[in-house]
């Protein structure tokens, strides 16, 4: 197994006025291809920040983030956007579906950034939605779906482009127990059956159990 | 532009109240803008229709309208000797020496207003065949009788058949109503030129001379003969339609400038409304914007999506405004015409350039209203936007 994600001596600080707020302190971590990593830690420890750096929506103050051979900390904004579209699938705590678009249209969104034809897109969207068990709900709007169903649409959106990595920030944080376990089973399946590399931030020990590996963050340090 | 238009369209329908108010604002501005241009164009159309391409009018060079023009008897005599003037079947020269005066009449709706009274010559019905008696009869020459234009008949008290109008110390009897097909003559009263001159003690000095050439292809040679005659050097001939067109220019320009000034002031309100709506849209959809950016949509796509939304509001507002304005063309209104200092009735008239210019105006409002909010949306930091949940 080779490291698909390599975080090398990364530090991240935010600035509030002229006050530097250190969030991550010289962190290094490697994630192997096909791994399912759970990131745990108290609130404010920097989990989301680390995830954002790996997903290329934030930039480290120091250090490098290399994903599948690309040093994304060196990419310009436009190149980074393109990289995200090709390489990262996002799963958010509050699903972040576009309320005015149907499940189908939400899942289709990332494909609009590819060169796929309309019919190819349709095929891929249907495949993804069927995979998450929502083949029958393609034309429902987010508000017509339960939280668990919404999150499954979001997962379909995350996998529809067949990205290199999936990042999930507390994907079950807003769900009841049953829905949460459905989502986790789905993610496990994506990892085992479809060999997706997954990094999941979670507070929930049950959720973390499903992962192959658990790492803890504490005040910006990996422990 | 990768974000589908469907997204713009569906968001447009999702915030009914703020979008609706903004839309009403923009459509009102478009309505006022179009209405004023339609008014200016209507005035122009009416006055242009007043003049004929077949007639020639002579006025004093320094005059800016018939009211301030004087054509003395000697000048009228010289004009009569010019070549190429048509004669009618009776062998009479087709010339009408016309005194034009303004009198004051009471309107049906109350208040006084100016009415143009035009004295005309014997050949008038051949000279202006578009003028038709629709009620009563033609006035008789040699007596103090008047016929009233359709619009005067409708809008003024004491301008009905059988009524007596008093001016210049004389009683004038109204004996008929005429229609000139929506031209400026509908807002005039006509009588015998000689009677009018004697009432007003004007000797034989008229305001203008209208005549018909034997053939319009002789216009250039007629004009040359006119221009070389030293006795006519204070006067000039014009094709009648051209003359009325020039007369409409000042009025139409005034209406346009005033109107554009007013609508630009109004449009600030509409632009600010659009801006507030779009800022609210950006604020409500901050997380959505962060999500789209995370998925790989570029800043530019976000900018376009929000601009498109603002433009959609303005274009729909334009459509509503222009449809409302087009209904105005069913209405007739009257206003004081600066050219003649008297009331002129006209219709609002729509023309393609008004449709196009009001669309451009609406689009500019949409761009100005949407730009800053769209820039804000495009500049959002992804991480901060996602944390806004
Ligand atoms: N854009 C920002 N500006 C300033 N400070 C920030 C910003 N983003 C994060 N922080 C700060 O960085 C620290 C770590 O935030 P982060 O969101 O990574 O924590 P977390 O481990 O995900 O916490 P939680 O479990 O509550 O989600 C917090 O103290 C937070 O206030
Ligand atoms: Mg977090």
């Amino acid at each position: 197994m080779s490291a698909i994600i390599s975080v090398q001596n990364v530090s991240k600080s935010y600035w509030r006025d002229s006050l530097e707020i250190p969030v991550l302190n010289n962190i290094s971590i490697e994630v192997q291809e096909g791994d399912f990593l759970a990131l745990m830690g108290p609130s404010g420890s920097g989990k989301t920040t680390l995830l954002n750096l790996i997903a290329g929506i934030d930039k480290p103050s120091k250090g490098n983030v290399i994903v599948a051979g690309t040093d994304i900390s060196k990419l310009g904004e436009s190149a980074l956007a393109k990289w995200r579209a090709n390489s990262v699938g996002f799963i958010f705590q509050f699903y972040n579906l576009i309320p005015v678009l149907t499940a189908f249209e939400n899942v289709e969104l990332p494909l609009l950034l590819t060169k796929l034809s309309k019919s190819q897109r349709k095929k891929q969207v249907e495949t993804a939605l069927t995979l998450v068990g929502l083949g029958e709900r393609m034309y429902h709007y987010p508000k017509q779906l339960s939280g668990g169903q919404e999150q499954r649409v979001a997962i379909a959106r995350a996998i529809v482009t067949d990205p290199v990595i999936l990042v999930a920030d507390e994907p079950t944080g807003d769900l009841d127990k049953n829905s949460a376990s459905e989502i986790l089973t789905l993610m496990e399946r994506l990892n085992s059956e479809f060999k997706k590399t997954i990094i999941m931030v979670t507070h929930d020990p049950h959720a973390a159990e499903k992962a192959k590996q658990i790492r803890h963050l504490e005040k910006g340090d990996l422990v | 532009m990768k974000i589908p238009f469907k997204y713009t369209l569906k968001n447009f329908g999702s915030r009914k109240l703020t979008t609706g108010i903004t839309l009403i604002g923009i459509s009102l501005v478009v309505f006022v803008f179009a209405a004023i241009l339609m008014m200016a164009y209507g005035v122009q159309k009416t006055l242009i229709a007043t003049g004929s391409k077949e007639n020639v009018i002579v006025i004093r060079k320094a005059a800016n309208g018939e009211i301030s023009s004087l054509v003395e008897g000697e000048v009228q005599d010289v004009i009569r000797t010019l070549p190429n003037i048509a004669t009618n079947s009776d062998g009479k020269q087709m010339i009408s020496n016309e005194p034009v005066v303004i009198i004051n009449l009471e309107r049906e709706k109350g208040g006084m207003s100016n009415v143009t009274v035009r004295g005309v010559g014997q050949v008038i019905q051949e000279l202006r065949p578009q003028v038709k008696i629709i009620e009563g009869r033609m006035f008789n020459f040699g007596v103090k009788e008047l016929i009233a234009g359709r619009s005067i008949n409708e809008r003024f008290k004491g301008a009905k058949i059988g009524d007596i109008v008093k001016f210049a110390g004389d009683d004038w009897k109204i004996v008929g109503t005429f229609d000139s097909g929506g031209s400026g003559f509908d807002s005039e009263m006509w009588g015998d030129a000689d009677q009018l001159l004697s009432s007003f003690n004007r000797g034989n000095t008229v305001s203008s001379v209208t005549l018909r050439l034997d053939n319009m292809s002789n216009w250039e040679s007629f004009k040359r003969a006119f221009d070389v005659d030293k006795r006519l050097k204070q006067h000039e001939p014009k094709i009648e339609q051209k003359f009325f067109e020039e007369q409409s220019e000042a009025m139409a320009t005034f209406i346009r400038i005033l109107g554009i000034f007013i609508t630009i002031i109004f449009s600030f309100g509409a632009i600010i409304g659009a801006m507030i709506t779009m800022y609210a849209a950006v604020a409500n959809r901050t997380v959505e914007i962060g999500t789209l950016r995370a998925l790989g949509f570029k800043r530019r796509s976000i900018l376009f999506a929000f601009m498109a939304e603002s433009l959609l509001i303005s274009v729909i507002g334009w459509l509503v405004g222009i449809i409302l304005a087009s209904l105005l063309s069913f209405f007739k209104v009257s206003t004081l015409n600066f050219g003649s200092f008297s009331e002129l009735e006209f219709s609002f008239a729509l023309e393609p350039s008004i449709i196009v210019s009001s669309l451009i105006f609406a689009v500019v409002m949409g761009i100005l209203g949407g730009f800053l909010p769209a820039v804000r949306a495009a500049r959002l930091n992804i991480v901060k936007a996602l944390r806004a949940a």
Side-chain angles (χ1 to χ4, degrees):
Chain A
M1 283 215 294
S2 59
I4 195 154
I5 300 167
S6 175
V7 176
Q8 301 170 345
N9 310 103
V10 161
S11 297
K12 176 73 183 176
S13 310
Y14 288 108
W15 290 85
R16 207 163 278 156
D17 302 321
S18 58
L19 192 70
E20 186 177 358
I21 306 163
V23 178
L24 297 175
N25 312 315
N26 201 30
I27 285 198
S28 295
I29 185 175
E30 293 207 331
V31 181
Q32 304 302 314
E33 188 165 6
D35 204 349
F36 185 172
L37 171 72
L39 270 179
M40 298 192 74
S43 187
S45 57
K47 304 180 298 292
T48 298
T49 304
L50 180 57
L51 197 70
N52 289 346
L53 292 174
I54 293 171
I57 56 174
D58 206 353
K59 291 225 161 185
S61 309
K62 267 199 228 110
N64 302 82
V65 178
I66 296 157
V67 180
T70 308
D71 187 346
I72 60 167
S73 41
K74 294 210 162 57
L75 292 180
E77 186 176 289
S78 170
L80 198 55
K82 199 170 170 196
W83 175 81
R84 281 196 304 272
N86 290 327
S87 315
V88 188
F90 285 89
I91 302 164
F92 303 93
Q93 180 175 359
F94 300 106
Y95 336 124
N96 291 19
L97 298 177
I98 309 296
V100 296
L101 300 181
T102 61
F104 181 97
E105 290 161 348
N106 266 288
V107 177
E108 192 188 19
L109 269 180
L111 294 180
L112 296 172
L113 294 162
T114 66
K115 290 192 172 68
L116 294 182
S117 71
K118 198 174 171 174
S119 62
Q120 285 171 314
R121 291 203 302 264
K122 187 170 185 321
K123 224 176 107 198
Q124 257 175 264
V125 172
E126 285 170 356
T127 307
L129 278 168
T130 309
L131 183 77
V132 300
L134 287 175
E136 310 293 305
R137 305 254 170 171
M138 287 203 270
Y139 302 104
H140 284 54
Y141 285 90
K143 63 167 179 285
Q144 298 169 322
L145 299 171
S146 71
Q149 288 170 332
E150 278 195 77
Q151 192 61 301
R152 282 193 272 155
V153 174
I155 291 174
R157 180 177 67 186
I159 60 173
V160 74
T161 54
D162 194 20
V164 182
I165 56 171
L166 286 181
V167 297
D169 197 347
E170 301 185 33
T172 58
D174 197 46
L175 296 174
D176 61 64
K177 232 170 148 187
N178 287 340
S179 307
S181 107
E182 272 172 37
I183 294 297
L184 288 167
T185 308
L186 181 56
M187 288 179 66
E188 234 185 330
R189 195 174 148 221
L190 291 174
N191 176 249
S192 57
E193 206 173 308
F194 297 91
K195 309 288 174 229
K196 289 284 149 202
T197 307
I198 303 177
I199 306 164
M200 173 177 73
V201 167
T202 185
H203 278 293
D204 178 4
H206 295 294
E209 266 170 31
K210 306 273 179 178
K212 288 179 177 164
Q213 218 196 129
I214 304 178
R215 299 296 302 265
H216 287 270
L217 264 176
E218 204 99 31
K219 289 187 185 148
D221 295 305
L222 267 178
V223 292
Chain B
M1 206 171 91
K2 295 268 178 56
I3 295 179
F5 187 64
K6 191 159 53 183
Y7 172 75
T8 299
L9 211 60
K10 287 183 164 181
N11 272 309
F12 171 79
S14 70
R15 288 163 291 117
K16 293 198 171 52
L17 188 68
T18 45
T19 306
I21 292 169
T22 308
L23 215 142
I24 290 170
I26 287 177
S27 53
L28 277 180
V29 173
V30 168
F31 173 80
V32 173
F33 181 79
I36 286 167
L37 292 184
M38 284 169 74
M39 181 168 167
Y41 183 60
V43 166
Q44 251 172 340
K45 236 175 106 174
T46 302
L47 286 175
I48 289 168
T50 308
S52 158
K53 274 193 209 124
E54 308 288 315
N55 290 346
V56 173
I57 184 168
V58 177
I59 57 159
R60 204 172 199 86
K61 271 179 186 160
N64 43 25
E66 285 182 283
I67 284 298
S68 52
S69 165
L70 296 173
V71 185
E72 300 83 353
E74 307 85 77
V75 177
Q76 295 164 32
D77 292 340
V78 177
I79 291 172
R80 238 172 254 133
T81 66
L82 290 172
N84 306 113
I85 296 177
T87 49
N88 69 4
S89 46
D90 301 340
K92 258 194 204 142
Q93 275 189 312
M94 300 258 282
I95 299 181
S96 175
N97 297 319
E98 305 188 339
V100 174
V101 297
I102 291 171
I103 64 163
N104 231 272
L105 278 185
E106 197 181 337
R107 287 197 293 206
E108 292 280 3
K109 280 190 263 172
M112 307 292 284
S113 194
N114 290 341
V115 172
T116 296
V117 180
R118 180 185 295 274
V120 297
Q122 307 264 353
V123 294
I124 192 61
Q125 280 171 309
E126 286 152 288
L127 206 53
R128 301 211 178 99
Q130 77 273 29
V131 174
K132 304 213 161 60
I133 301 291
I134 52 173
E135 219 190 319
R137 59 170 173 84
M138 177 63 178
F139 66 85
N140 286 323
F141 286 88
V143 289
K144 292 188 171 22
E145 290 182 346
L146 292 174
I147 51 175
R150 186 188 39 72
S151 138
I152 295 295
N153 176 268
E154 284 163 10
R155 289 185 298 111
F156 283 88
K157 276 193 185 143
K160 318 289 181 231
I161 294 174
D163 286 340
I164 304 289
V165 182
K166 287 182 197 295
F167 58 83
D170 286 311
D171 287 351
W172 296 75
K173 188 172 182 202
I174 297 184
V175 298
T177 305
F178 67 87
D179 182 278
S180 65
S183 84
F185 291 136
D186 283 347
S187 299
E188 294 185 352
M189 296 210 278
W190 287 6
D192 179 356
D194 294 334
Q195 293 296 317
L196 212 58
L197 286 173
S198 74
S199 259
F200 279 92
N201 283 324
R202 278 179 60 159
N204 51 6
T205 299
V206 298
S207 307
S208 65
V209 173
T210 299
L211 56 88
R212 172 76 54 101
L213 295 186
D214 49 12
N215 192 324
M216 269 325 265
S217 62
N218 291 325
W219 159 244
E220 290 298 335
S221 64
F222 172 82
K223 187 167 158 51
R224 222 171 299 123
F226 191 105
D227 289 343
V228 298
D229 198 315
K230 289 210 168 49
R231 295 165 296 178
L232 298 174
K233 70 172 188 290
Q234 303 233 36
H235 294 83
E236 63 177 328
K238 285 181 178 173
I239 293 172
E240 194 187 29
Q241 188 172 71
K242 192 93 198 303
F243 168 76
F244 281 104
E245 193 176 332
E246 286 168 11
Q247 288 290 294
S248 71
E249 209 59 63
M251 179 79 181
T253 304
F254 173 80
I255 295 172
R256 280 193 191 109
I257 289 174
L258 184 78
I260 287 169
F261 183 72
I262 292 171
T263 41
I264 282 176
I265 290 172
F266 280 4
S267 73
F268 284 115
I271 290 168
I272 289 169
M275 221 180 263
I276 291 170
T277 303
M278 292 313 296
Y279 269 129
V282 174
N284 287 337
R285 305 217 297 269
T286 300
V287 177
E288 208 169 300
I289 294 164
T291 306
L292 288 168
R293 291 283 309 286
L295 294 181
F297 287 96
K298 302 217 166 109
R299 290 184 193 274
R300 210 174 347 127
S301 307
I302 304 288
L303 183 89
F304 283 144
F306 278 86
M307 284 304 280
E309 210 167 310
S310 174
L311 282 176
L312 185 67
I313 295 175
S314 66
V315 168
I316 293 177
W318 164 77
L319 197 66
V320 173
I322 200 79
I323 287 172
L324 289 179
S326 70
L327 298 178
L328 285 177
S329 47
F330 297 109
F331 291 97
K332 283 200 164 100
V333 283
S334 63
T335 186
L336 193 73
N337 175 17
F338 305 154
S340 65
F341 299 103
S342 53
E343 289 253 321
L344 176 74
E345 187 191 64
F346 62 91
S347 306
F348 287 88
L350 195 58
E351 60 158 349
S353 79
I354 297 176
I355 296 175
V356 173
S357 57
S358 61
L359 176 60
I360 292 171
F361 191 51
V363 165
V364 168
M365 285 193 281
I367 289 174
L368 291 180
F371 186 69
L372 291 178
V375 166
R376 174 183 283 184
R379 289 176 68 158
L380 283 175
N381 174 282
I382 303 176
V383 173
K384 280 188 190 156
L386 287 172
R387 286 174 74 93

